Amino acid sequence: MTPRNEKLEPPSDDKRWRIVQATMQRNGYERDGLIETLHTVQESFGYLDDESLRYVAASLNAPLSQVYGVSTFYHLFSLKPAGRHTCVVCLGTACYIKGIPHLLKEIERTYGIKAGETTSDGHLSLITARCLGSCGLAPVAVFNGEIAGKIEIEHALARLAALREAEDVRQA
Amino acid sequence: MKRPFKTRIKTLKIDGIDVGAREDETILELAQENDIFIPTLCHLEGVHDVGSCRLCLVEVRGTNKLLPACMTYAEEGMEVITNSERLQAYRRQVLDLLFSERNHVCSVCVSNGHCELQWLAGKLGISHVGVPYLYPQLEVDASHRYYSYDPNRCILCTRCVRVCDEIEGAHTWDVMGRGVECLVISDLNQPWGTAESCTRCGKCVQVCPTGALFNKGRAVAEMTKRRDFLPYLQTMREGRK
Amino acid sequence: MFDRLEEITKAEQETAGRFDHTVDVCVAAGCMSSQSVAIKEALEKEVEAHGQGHRCRVRGTGCMGLCAAGPLITVDAEKPGEIMYKQVTVGDAADIVASLDSTPVERLRCRTDVPFFQRQKKIALENSGLIDPERIEEYIAREGYSGLMRALTEMSPSDVIDEVVASGLRGRGGGGYPTGLKWTTVAKSDGDVKYVICNADEGDPGAFMDRSVLESDPHRILEGMAIAGYAIGASQGYVYVRGEYPTAVARLKTAIRQARRANMLGSGIGGTLFNFHVDIRLGAGAFVCGEETALIASIEGKRGTPRPRPPYPAEFGLWGRPTLINNVETFANIAPIIRNGGDWYARIGSGASKGTKVFALAGSIINTGLIEVPMGTPLREIVYEIGGGISGGGECKAIQTGGPSGGCIPAGYFDTPVDYESLSALGSIMGSGGMIVMDESASMVDVARYFMEFCMTESCGRCVPCRVGTVHMHNILDKFSRHEATPHDLELLEKLCDMVRNTSLCGLGQTAPNPVMSTLRYFRDEYMDCMMPELNGAERVGELMEVAR
Amino acid sequence: MSEKPTLATVWLDGCSGCHMSFLDIDERILDLAAQADLVYSPLVDTKEFPEMVDITLIEGAVSSEEDYHKIRMVREHTRLLVSLGDCAVTANVPAMRNRFAVRSVLERAYIENADLNQDIPVQVIPALRETSIPVHQVVPVDVFIPGCPPAADTIFFALTELLAGRKPDLRTTTRFGA
């Protein structure tokens, strides 16, 4: 429990904390800015860990449990680091009708993970989205931020396999 | 033209009985004043209402929507029905859902005989639960020195969250996750005993309607809860202003 | 200030006049996901390579509607003899540029004399695909911000509200609440601080109207919000936009910056005494935040859980202040209404549903994409003429409107005009405008299960019926899809539908049973086919009198 | 054949406490015997469930394959099925294992906590179903008597009411966990 302090020292001298501080400052270090701040932490660090949650809570003078409650309410916030690669599968209605559940099942089977999980070697995170709003191109998946429309199962698996290969090559 | 005065007293009917009300009185308060029973679980005198358990829903003439008595204020000419067959059926279904959601095993619960959920089930005539049980996997937290938290018995009424925030001011408790995955947590979802913000005041334990929060080392027969401190604290605080 | 707008318009027209050809590339989400940005760059390079830079320009514009045929490109869109190209690739750039002064590239031609383009009436989308969304000048050149200036200089706030009331515009987010009435209520509410919120948390799966408007014509939203601010007496607005829409957010940010610089937002707008600021708030992936009170909680930095209404946000909204909340498409209609008058708008549409509505067509339909049609257009026209019919050669079975809060309308009802009342009479809702077309292969039980799963995982968990009821309904539907359901399950499902609908705290729970109820209404046979064979004796129920004899 | 209504009791996954409580009606069992014949029960010798019984009381949850088949058979041959006690009504204590996999439950019982013969039996002991569930989740139940166990008075009252052709109102006499 730290008493209110307008500008608390960040947990480390990592430069990314400055971006987080800037967001909090823009919102006057008010609790209202909690979600905005969490967005910034997520963007800067890739996920929200206990350390960052504690820092944000103390800086905004917000209760820890409230910060945790907010962090776990919203789908876009993640409390665990993502894999080196991400594959987002859209579960919107149009994609559903066009057979995306089969693709999802195939990827889950191939990589031995469930939606929302990361492979144990940190290679791939499989994420589902409620709807990416690209229904005209259904079914849709996103590979490392690059959206791919009218995707077919073989095509998707090939793209994922290519990611793995590229990584193996780099390691070798 | 603006009306030169403001009416503060409303007259309305609850279950056919004429009642007079201040404009800041809720239907629930009026019903209680007039000895009309409306079941509640999330409502707790002394903290603000959230209208989440839906047990106190009442019918109001002129609207199709059912309104929570705890958060609906008296209006002139209102006609309220608190106990129609339809309402009773819905209330029983709400209890059905609550019993099915977590692992409520009355026979081995520390609050057996002092539990509001159990009491209401009897009162509203629940002889069995009509929906399948969900059997979630939840861990008991016995890390606190004085108290235990068993989420298997929690009905997410958030009384503990509100009393800790509004009365004690510690805000140790909050709700994490969403939907049926919601869980009452302390601080950063850590064992209660390690939550730095907890003052060990025990108010949450006293207001918990079920056996989810309880005193350690108390036998079932002793597991009664004290609530009168809440309105008392409120009155004392108001008096100080 | 009108002079200033005119100046910009003139300058824009002069610029446009200097070019013999304008090549527009759609850079909205749909086409972007098929490399339209790379195509645009290729076209630019090609133009430079041919030394045509002084007389040909390449622009990135918003959505042209026919997403199925993307990436889309138009040549000289605003001149007679407009040419549209479909499914363009980077390799086609050279051919397109080479063809500019001669005959079009036939193999890429996309016909525009078809019902998809001819039967639409565009108001909210009037600029989509025709302007560069990142240049305020182009918006202004198409009468942009003249509605705001007209309101500020020629009309009183109550005049503005009168026009909105006269237009008959109703909320385009789903509920269909009369917009004018909402504005009147907020305007009348006591308080010197009020807020305007644009709900851009488009969460219905299968809906991408708002996204498209934000990506194609963001200034239109800002103008609509500023007019609303003037009408109700607010000086601060928020756009609550989905975090899943990065392009829309980026364009909106650019638009706000430009509008501020052009003095169309900020203090003393257009030289008047009116101040209006707009900030963006990012959603973080919670469907329930489309609900007004949950949205407000989220802007306040809290968990997005709804609270019982009343009090309505019009009286007690953001930080307890009177707050006006409208969705993107509603705001998109405001500027044209102020420019052309409420009566003009009210003449479009049918019955109690005025104006036009934007729909996102998706699923088993040939022309997937975005359309805007007058209210009252029959479903048949939308599906078979504008939509081009069913893809894959199958028969149409049903159309799903309103997303997880809506229902399935069977093909037998396709003569129904699309308006608020007719759709709700069929057990569905207008919703925000997603239309998913399903062919015979779609299982209605599965569709119901899909939407229930959606509601179950999106339930905020605050009230009991929605939190637990959706789980049970989902589990029962799951039993149906495994062909393990019993008559008792069907009875329980219907009971839960009724209970969750009538006792849930907010719209999410209250409408969650709709997809189940509408499929039960029209496709009950499919549910019956999913039942387990009878249990015979084990299913018997006793009679008291039998025992007493 | 007697003209009296017939009565049966069945013991599934429960501790037999409800049967004990039934016996606690003491001498009133004579009154009951005057009104009905007890034709099948763990307390009597009959091995086969009769073709049709008027009232059957069920103690215990449905936990094993045997329970499952038995209760379905009993329902087929019973006019009025009564769930007696919390295990039958809510699955109660037997259901506390539902949060764990069957395998781990068996391991805990027969290996970790066993001093001798550490082995999971596969014969004689009926196979456990994935979850222990209340009787009415398997077959329709006509009357519910909650309680752990329901008091002897409650059971006696409920039976005499049923025999008189009335549905007993038990709201004030018993509850879950009573």
Side-chain angles (χ1 to χ4, degrees):
Chain A
M1 291 285 95
T2 326
R4 189 185 177 97
N5 183 336
E6 292 280 295
K7 201 168 179 182
L8 284 175
E9 277 306 306
S12 71
D13 50 14
D14 191 322
K15 292 218 167 48
R16 290 174 288 187
W17 290 117
R18 286 200 204 142
I19 313 171
V20 177
Q21 278 182 326
T23 303
M24 294 195 289
Q25 187 143 26
R26 200 168 51 244
N27 290 290
Y29 285 94
E30 291 292 330
R31 269 190 218 181
D32 302 337
L34 176 56
I35 294 177
E36 297 291 303
T37 310
L38 294 176
H39 268 300
T40 311
V41 176
Q42 170 101 20
E43 269 166 37
S44 313
F45 294 87
Y47 71 109
L48 314 172
D49 62 3
D50 272 16
E51 190 182 52
S52 55
L53 292 180
R54 277 177 195 279
Y55 172 61
V56 169
S59 301
L60 300 183
N61 202 27
L64 287 171
S65 58
Q66 188 179 11
V67 171
Y68 200 86
V70 169
S71 311
T72 51
F73 184 85
Y74 296 96
H75 197 71
L76 289 186
F77 296 138
S78 170
L79 301 190
K80 279 186 234 133
R84 290 184 294 281
H85 302 283
T86 56
C87 172
V88 183
V89 176
C90 177
L91 288 182
T93 322
C95 295
Y96 190 83
I97 299 276
K98 297 235 172 169
I100 204 111
H102 302 296
L103 171 64
L104 182 63
K105 222 172 268 169
E106 245 348 90
I107 300 177
E108 286 181 338
R109 205 181 51 82
T110 312
Y111 289 86
I113 47 172
K114 287 235 157 59
E117 292 176 356
T118 301
T119 52
S120 54
D121 60 354
H123 168 69
L124 180 76
S125 289
L126 179 60
I127 300 162
T128 54
R130 268 308 168 196
C131 182
L132 294 165
S134 295
C135 314
L137 297 167
V140 172
V142 185
F143 302 95
N144 283 342
E146 203 174 293
I147 189 162
K150 297 180 185 164
I151 189 98
E152 277 162 28
I153 293 181
E154 300 79 53
H155 182 192
L157 290 176
R159 273 188 87 148
L160 290 174
L163 291 178
R164 165 70 85 190
E165 254 168 50
E167 197 164 277
D168 289 347
V169 168
R170 223 173 304 139
Q171 269 167 4
Chain B
M1 259 283 286
K2 274 206 169 147
R3 187 158 53 180
F5 58 89
K6 218 176 164 192
T7 46
R8 296 195 188 280
I9 301 299
K10 317 275 179 186
T11 54
L12 58 152
K13 271 191 165 70
I14 302 186
D15 292 343
I17 302 168
D18 288 304
V19 300
R22 287 193 320 271
E23 59 177 1
D24 61 349
E25 275 185 299
T26 64
I27 304 295
L28 181 63
E29 287 168 323
L30 285 171
Q32 286 168 346
E33 267 171 40
N34 290 278
D35 292 324
I36 295 166
F37 172 71
I38 299 178
T40 56
L41 271 177
C42 64
H43 171 75
L44 177 69
E45 203 187 329
V47 294
H48 87 270
D49 278 305
V50 287
S52 69
C53 76
R54 316 308 281 168
L55 279 173
C56 73
L57 288 181
V58 293
E59 292 171 11
V60 174
R61 210 168 148 184
T63 167
N64 287 329
K65 272 177 74 179
L66 303 176
L67 301 174
C70 65
M71 295 184 77
T72 304
Y73 289 88
E75 303 264 3
E76 185 62 37
M78 225 179 196
E79 286 179 46
V80 182
I81 296 163
T82 69
N83 213 15
S84 66
E85 292 222 346
R86 177 172 173 234
L87 290 173
Q88 290 182 35
Y90 286 150
R91 286 169 189 162
R92 280 197 292 268
Q93 276 181 296
V94 167
L95 291 185
D96 260 18
L97 295 182
L98 281 175
F99 274 111
S100 74
E101 185 183 13
R102 296 277 170 98
N103 303 298
H104 297 278
V105 189
C106 298
S107 59
V108 295
C109 176
V110 67
S111 279
N112 190 3
H114 305 289
C115 168
E116 291 179 46
L117 180 65
Q118 182 190 33
W119 180 81
L120 272 176
K123 176 95 180 166
L124 303 185
I126 308 274
S127 63
H128 67 291
V129 173
V131 291
Y133 295 91
L134 298 177
Y135 304 120
Q137 273 272 17
L138 298 164
E139 297 291 324
V140 177
D141 179 353
S143 60
H144 200 282
R145 205 160 145 192
Y146 306 119
Y147 319 111
S148 291
Y149 165 44
D150 183 355
N152 292 293
R153 300 166 181 161
C154 172
I155 56 169
L156 291 167
C157 68
T158 69
R159 285 188 191 177
C160 53
V161 176
R162 285 173 284 153
V163 81
C164 184
D165 175 48
E166 295 169 30
I167 306 297
E168 178 62 12
H171 204 122
T172 300
W173 298 112
D174 208 318
V175 179
M176 71 165 277
R178 69 182 184 209
V180 80
E181 311 278 323
C182 276
L183 194 66
V184 170
I185 50 144
S186 51
D187 281 6
L188 285 186
N189 189 22
Q190 63 203 60
W192 187 8
T194 69
E196 306 120 90
S197 64
C198 177
T199 62
R200 304 175 185 178
C201 73
K203 290 188 183 70
C204 53
V205 175
Q206 298 304 330
V207 300
C208 177
T210 69
L213 295 173
F214 56 95
N215 283 311
K216 278 186 171 171
R218 235 10 116 77
V220 174
E222 303 168 313
M223 201 47 227
T224 52
K225 293 185 173 175
R226 250 189 79 216
R227 310 262 154 79
D228 44 350
F229 69 90
L230 265 172
Y232 172 77
L233 281 180
Q234 221 183 16
T235 324
M236 293 312 278
R237 281 189 189 165
E238 272 164 18
R240 208 167 44 190
K241 274 178 200 161
Chain C
M1 193 60 196
F2 272 116
D3 306 344
R4 175 87 188 106
L5 294 182
E6 257 166 48
E7 260 170 49
I8 295 175
T9 307
K10 228 179 242 157
E12 268 305 296
Q13 282 162 350
E14 267 166 35
T15 316
R18 277 210 305 277
F19 294 104
D20 294 334
H21 298 292
T22 301
V23 180
D24 291 340
V25 184
C26 170
V27 287
C31 290
M32 265 170 85
S33 48
S34 33
Q35 275 68 55
S36 68
V37 175
I39 294 168
K40 182 178 165 246
E41 281 163 10
L43 284 165
E44 280 163 352
K45 259 191 214 144
E46 203 61 39
V47 166
E48 285 309 317
H50 285 79
Q52 303 280 309
H54 61 287
R55 54 184 290 267
C56 298
R57 60 173 179 173
V58 179
R59 295 189 305 175
T61 65
C63 181
M64 300 176 185
L66 192 57
C67 304
L72 291 170
I73 286 178
T74 53
V75 176
D76 298 331
E78 294 195 76
K79 289 184 190 167
E82 164 210 21
I83 297 158
M84 183 177 267
Y85 293 124
K86 63 181 178 187
Q87 283 155 353
V88 179
T89 60
V90 174
D92 296 324
D95 287 350
I96 291 172
V97 173
S99 78
L100 285 179
D101 291 312
S102 60
T103 48
V105 188
E106 282 307 323
R107 68 183 152 87
L108 300 172
R109 278 295 281 274
C110 180
R111 288 175 59 178
T112 51
D113 56 349
V114 292
F116 183 86
F117 294 103
Q118 299 300 323
R119 295 283 177 86
Q120 295 195 46
K121 175 157 185 69
K122 296 195 172 181
I123 296 176
L125 302 181
E126 60 184 353
N127 293 339
S128 287
L130 296 175
I131 61 166
D132 180 344
E134 294 187 326
R135 292 191 62 231
I136 191 174
E137 295 83 0
E138 297 194 17
Y139 178 67
I140 290 172
R142 292 180 63 89
E143 293 188 279
Y145 289 111
S146 66
L148 173 63
M149 285 315 298
R150 180 162 177 237
L152 295 183
T153 53
E154 296 168 18
M155 300 164 82
S156 71
S158 66
D159 292 342
V160 174
I161 294 178
D162 287 346
E163 287 301 327
V164 176
V165 171
S167 74
L169 176 66
R170 293 166 69 176
R172 296 291 191 244
Y177 191 80
T179 307
L181 183 54
K182 209 176 207 177
W183 288 31
T184 311
T185 325
V186 185
K188 280 192 178 171
S189 292
D190 290 333
D192 38 7
V193 178
K194 296 179 186 180
Y195 296 103
V196 174
I197 296 177
C198 173
N199 183 350
D201 190 47
E202 180 173 59
D204 282 11
F208 49 96
M209 298 77 48
D210 295 351
R211 167 184 199 155
S212 189
V213 173
L214 291 172
E215 288 178 348
S216 307
D217 196 6
H219 284 286
R220 159 176 304 269
I221 305 308
L222 301 179
E223 185 179 358
M225 289 176 72
I227 293 172
Y230 175 68
I232 64 155
S235 56
Q236 174 69 49
Y238 292 95
V239 186
Y240 185 84
V241 55
R242 277 186 93 187
E244 289 93 332
Y245 287 175
T247 312
V249 173
R251 293 199 181 147
L252 203 53
K253 277 188 182 158
T254 309
I256 292 174
R257 208 172 47 236
Q258 290 172 348
R260 242 187 247 145
R261 212 175 299 143
N263 196 215
M264 287 294 130
L265 281 182
S267 304
I269 291 178
T272 66
L273 293 175
F274 177 61
N275 309 325
F276 193 72
H277 305 268
V278 174
D279 282 312
I280 297 177
R281 283 289 177 272
L282 272 190
F287 173 70
V288 70
C289 288
E291 200 276 348
E292 298 186 329
T293 58
L295 189 154
I296 287 174
S298 188
I299 293 185
E300 292 173 354
K302 301 177 191 150
R303 290 165 59 83
T305 54
R307 58 157 178 81
R309 300 176 302 176
Y312 289 90
E315 267 189 89
F316 190 88
L318 189 59
W319 294 299
R321 311 290 193 161
T323 303
L324 173 75
I325 306 180
N326 279 133
N327 96 319
V328 170
E329 195 185 333
T330 313
F331 279 124
N333 279 300
I334 296 300
I337 287 172
I338 298 303
R339 267 193 337 251
N340 304 321
D343 294 337
W344 161 81
Y345 195 82
R347 281 195 295 274
I348 308 163
S350 74
S353 303
K354 304 297 186 196
T356 58
K357 177 80 193 82
V358 182
F359 291 104
L361 292 182
S364 307
I365 190 160
I366 292 171
N367 296 334
T368 53
L370 211 62
I371 59 162
E372 182 171 1
V373 291
M375 290 278 190
T377 307
L379 278 169
R380 186 180 304 284
E381 190 178 331
I382 293 177
V383 175
Y384 288 101
E385 296 182 32
I386 299 174
I390 307 307
S391 62
E395 287 284 313
C396 183
K397 185 176 190 175
I399 187 163
Q400 209 280 343
T401 69
S405 317
C408 292
I409 301 166
Y413 292 84
F414 276 11
D415 289 322
T416 311
V418 173
D419 59 57
Y420 291 100
E421 278 68 29
S422 305
L423 290 185
S424 80
L426 289 178
S428 187
I429 60 163
M430 172 81 73
S432 53
M435 277 195 180
I436 313 285
V437 179
M438 288 172 286
D439 65 12
E440 303 143 314
S441 67
S443 149
M444 290 298 143
V445 173
D446 200 40
V447 168
R449 197 194 63 85
Y450 165 78
F451 281 116
M452 194 53 74
E453 187 187 3
F454 180 90
C455 292
M456 173 179 82
T457 46
E458 293 299 330
S459 166
C460 79
R462 178 159 171 176
C463 78
V464 182
C466 176
R467 182 178 77 226
V468 196
T470 54
V471 178
H472 285 301
M473 288 194 283
H474 172 261
N475 291 351
I476 296 173
L477 290 166
D478 214 36
K479 266 175 107 175
F480 273 98
S481 31
R482 295 195 311 263
H483 291 256
E484 288 172 10
T486 63
H488 175 73
D489 288 320
L490 182 59
E491 190 188 322
L492 185 58
L493 179 63
E494 293 193 293
K495 256 196 197 163
L496 283 167
C497 281
D498 173 66
M499 185 258 182
V500 173
R501 174 193 174 95
N502 286 301
T503 60
S504 290
L505 193 156
C506 82
L508 193 158
Q510 288 161 8
T511 59
N514 284 358
V516 184
M517 293 197 300
S518 88
T519 47
L520 271 171
R521 178 168 161 189
Y522 297 114
F523 302 97
R524 203 177 181 89
D525 289 355
E526 291 193 24
Y527 283 84
M528 302 313 268
D529 291 344
C530 290
M531 294 233 197
M532 204 159 61
E534 277 295 312
L535 289 167
N536 299 325
E539 272 288 297
R540 65 175 297 135
V541 180
E543 293 278 340
L544 285 169
M545 291 318 288
E546 269 186 71
V547 178
R549 278 188 283 210
Chain D
M1 270 300 277
S2 157
E3 282 301 298
K4 281 189 281 183
T6 51
L7 181 65
T9 72
V10 172
W11 181 15
L12 305 178
D13 189 6
C15 69
S16 90
C18 296
H19 272 88
M20 296 302 120
S21 195
F22 174 53
L23 289 179
D24 280 345
I25 64 174
D26 298 336
E27 74 284 357
R28 284 174 292 182
I29 203 155
L30 297 173
D31 299 341
L32 208 54
Q35 294 177 53
D37 284 331
L38 187 60
V39 292
Y40 178 93
S41 167
L43 308 168
V44 300
D45 266 345
T46 334
K47 297 283 180 280
E48 292 293 315
F49 199 86
E51 182 52 36
M52 189 53 72
V53 173
D54 289 314
I55 301 173
T56 303
L57 306 180
I58 310 286
E59 172 186 346
V62 180
S63 300
S64 67
E65 291 301 332
E66 190 201 11
D67 296 339
Y68 181 76
H69 293 293
K70 190 165 192 179
I71 192 62
R72 288 172 53 119
M73 180 276 291
V74 167
R75 174 74 266 190
E76 258 183 79
H77 300 281
T78 295
R79 293 214 163 80
L80 217 62
L81 195 67
V82 181
S83 276
L84 176 68
D86 276 355
C87 292
V89 175
T90 72
N92 203 18
V93 174
M96 291 176 79
R97 68 144 168 113
N98 288 353
R99 287 176 276 155
F100 310 98
V102 168
R103 183 81 208 170
S104 66
V105 170
L106 293 174
E107 274 170 9
R108 181 66 161 255
Y110 290 102
I111 297 176
E112 286 169 44
N113 289 346
D115 295 327
L116 295 169
N117 301 329
Q118 293 178 328
D119 193 15
I120 292 174
V122 284
Q123 286 175 328
V124 187
I125 310 273
L128 281 186
R129 288 169 66 83
E130 213 169 296
T131 51
S132 286
I133 52 177
V135 172
H136 65 273
Q137 299 291 353
V138 183
V139 295
V141 170
D142 304 301
V143 177
F144 298 86
I145 310 179
C148 187
D153 288 350
T154 305
I155 300 174
F156 183 72
F157 169 73
L159 280 174
T160 46
E161 286 289 288
L162 287 173
L163 288 166
R166 291 188 293 266
K167 192 157 186 172
D169 179 359
L170 301 171
R171 261 180 292 181
T172 50
T173 50
T174 187
R175 56 169 162 78
F176 297 140

